[in-house]
Structures are given as structure tokens and as C-alpha cells.
Amino acid sequence: MLCKIGDVEVWRILEINAPFLTPEELFPTAGPDVAKIVESHVKGGVCRQSGRIILPVQGFLLKTPSHNILVDSCVGNDKTNATMADWNMRSDTRFMAALTAAGVSTEEIDYVLCTHLHPDHVGWNTRLEDGRWVPTFPNARYLMPAADEEVQRSRNADLYVESVLPVIAAGQAELVEAGHMLGDHVTLMPTPGHTHGHVCIKVKSGDHEAVITGDAMHSTVQCWYPQWHFKFDTDAEMAVASRRRLLEEASESGCIVVGSHFLLPSLGHVRSDKGSFRWEE
Ligand SMILES: [Zn+2]
């Protein structure tokens, strides 16, 4: 178990922990010293051999007193990805093994919550069975941001056809707006910018609180530099505004912050610091 937030257990469901792209590629407006800055703020965050940022891809299982909720379903197996070779046609058991180790079967997942509809967050939504895409979690309701579904539907690319449409066709999808509440403990927090419908996930139980960032942030270095644009943000300025709001809220509440792509252990606190913020594990 990663941590416990009051009555809610949080389990890490790790699929990939590997170098991704260089700091210069990921943060194109951060200036020529970006690699040095990342290295000085995130110890071990840049792979020495490749010079690329280490980017875990992981989901989180929330075990509330009433439900098993999977937040983000990573890259998945057999998925088509024309731009990211490491994410194309994977055949890997790590994600499913992590779910088993957390003590749940695919049948026992009650909800799948997608922070947004990008390939590293929706992959295990479905799996191939006899050449057909079927929902991996047969008894789950899948909650997806309505704004993202609309964008992906209009593109009708591999991601939609392989990882979203089969869930809708099976009648298991619920397209939701930000602010949506799921049971007593989980709220979808609007953080548009990375995608139009992007949400962070707030977990609250008694006096205890945590937030799962999704892709509102990708590295703890963005606590110090929230204004850095991220390569894959749909609306970079809107993403900066959402990131600042997230950092303000997290530093004011003192809640636990769980970073979907943060270097392991991906868990800590945001503190306000001289007009900006810092990260504390
Ligand atoms: Zn992502």
C-alpha cells in the first residue's frame, strides 16, 4: 500500500518506470539550463545514460469502504501508438500483477476513473479478446471527462477506437463534468489545460485529504517552476493557471500530493516558498 487517507487505502499500480524524453523536449520554454535545474531539484530524476527524464506511468487503486476505484489505466497491451515506440504494441504483465498484488481482480473493480483521455491513462480500459476490444473490467463503470471524449470522438483515431469506444459500446461509460463526486470520498477537480476536460482526483476521509495530480503536473520541479510549459499540454497557458491553482490549494491544505508521473515514490507535500512553491517528500 502506498498510503492511507483516513478510511481509504491508496495502492500504486505501476506499469512503466523508465526514461521518457529529455528535459529540453518536455519543457520547451524552460531555457537552456533546464536539465541542470531539473537535476538539482529532483535527485535522480534524469537518467545519466540517456539524459532523459525518468517518467513513471502508473495508476492508483483507491479502496474506499464501499468501492474499488482505479484512477487511470496506463498504456495497456496491444495498443497502437504511432508516435511513442515504447507504448506501441506492448505485451507486459506488470500492471495486472500490481492489481493482483493489491488484492483485487478485474471483476472487483467498481469504477475506472480517467483523469483525461491520453494514451498513458486509458490503455487498460480495454483488452483484446479473440481479436475484439472488450472492457478489461467487466463490472466497472468508467468515468471519463465529457470534454475529452468529444475531442477524441471527433478525431476517431486509434486511442478512441481501441480504448474508449468499446467501453461506450458496452454501456459501461459515464461522461462526466468536472466537480463530479464519486461516493463520499472522491471528487473530480477541474484542472483544464493539459486537455480541456482534465481533472485531478481529490480523496477525502475525515480530516485526511490527498490529491492525485494526473497530468496537471509531470515533475516535482514544476512546484518551483509552475510556469514551464509542458510539451503535450493542449492549452499551455490554461495548464499553467490550473497548475498554480492546484499548488496553491495543496500548499494551503497541507494535503498529501500523489504525482501520477512524479519520480517514485511519487508522494509528498507542496509548500509555499518565497512567492512560489517547493516539494517535500
Ligand atoms: Zn500522462
Side-chain angles (χ1 to χ4, degrees):
M1 185 170 47
L2 184 63
C3 61
K4 200 160 183 205
I5 310 300
D7 293 335
V8 180
E9 292 183 8
V10 182
W11 291 75
R12 179 198 312 289
I13 310 297
L14 184 68
E15 184 181 44
I16 300 171
N17 187 26
F20 185 56
L21 298 176
T22 65
E24 293 82 358
E25 288 167 328
L26 283 183
F27 301 111
T29 62
D33 294 330
V34 56
K36 270 188 212 148
I37 296 172
V38 172
E39 272 171 359
S40 69
H41 287 88
V42 189
K43 296 277 169 266
V46 180
C47 168
R48 282 174 185 265
Q49 286 79 33
S50 65
R52 294 186 282 159
I53 283 185
I54 294 170
L55 191 97
V57 176
Q58 58 192 331
F60 298 96
L61 173 68
L62 308 178
K63 289 186 177 179
T64 79
S66 47
H67 295 119
N68 291 319
I69 302 168
L70 175 65
V71 177
D72 286 338
S73 64
C74 300
V75 177
N77 279 354
D78 304 301
K79 297 294 164 98
T80 310
N81 194 311
T83 50
M84 216 71 77
D86 290 352
W87 296 355
N88 186 47
M89 295 294 158
R90 289 172 60 81
S91 175
D92 185 75
T93 56
R94 196 172 185 180
F95 181 92
M96 281 300 163
L99 264 187
T100 304
V104 297
S105 66
T106 52
E107 288 81 9
E108 289 170 322
I109 296 291
D110 301 301
Y111 290 96
V112 178
L113 208 49
C114 301
T115 58
H116 63 297
L117 301 185
H118 273 176
D120 53 326
H121 297 262
V122 301
W124 282 105
N125 280 4
T126 58
R127 61 185 175 81
L128 266 186
E129 190 181 80
D130 300 328
R132 275 182 59 240
W133 293 107
V134 297
T136 305
F137 307 99
N139 301 314
R141 306 294 301 165
Y142 287 66
L143 273 54
M144 308 179 187
D148 280 20
E149 192 276 338
E150 194 180 328
V151 169
Q152 295 297 345
R153 182 169 12 108
S154 69
R155 286 185 193 155
N156 201 31
D158 294 324
L159 180 147
Y160 191 74
V161 172
E162 295 178 350
S163 301
V164 177
L165 190 55
V167 177
I168 295 173
Q172 291 179 238
E174 284 179 35
L175 305 179
V176 294
E177 305 295 333
H180 185 92
M181 279 199 74
L182 172 51
D184 297 331
H185 300 91
V186 177
T187 311
L188 280 57
M189 174 185 175
T191 36
H194 181 65
T195 64
H196 293 306
H198 185 279
V199 291
C200 296
I201 308 298
K202 259 191 193 170
V203 182
K204 205 166 168 21
S205 175
D207 295 335
H208 304 274
E209 202 180 319
V211 62
I212 300 174
T213 63
D215 284 14
M217 300 175 67
H218 289 79
S219 166
T220 51
V221 74
Q222 290 167 291
C223 295
W224 287 269
Y225 300 95
Q227 74 277 18
W228 283 5
H229 290 175
F230 182 76
K231 180 180 171 70
F232 300 109
D233 286 345
T234 304
D235 183 328
E237 281 307 318
M238 196 187 284
V240 169
S242 288
R243 192 149 50 243
R244 284 192 198 280
R245 208 169 50 247
L246 170 66
L247 289 164
E248 273 159 21
E249 282 194 33
S251 63
E252 275 167 21
S253 72
C255 72
I256 288 179
V257 177
V258 180
S260 300
H261 290 301
F262 289 2
L263 192 69
L264 300 185
S266 327
L267 185 78
H269 293 89
V270 173
R271 309 290 185 203
S272 64
D273 190 357
K274 299 179 205 118
S276 192
F277 305 90
R278 66 187 152 81
W279 176 254
E280 266 180 24
E281 272 183 3

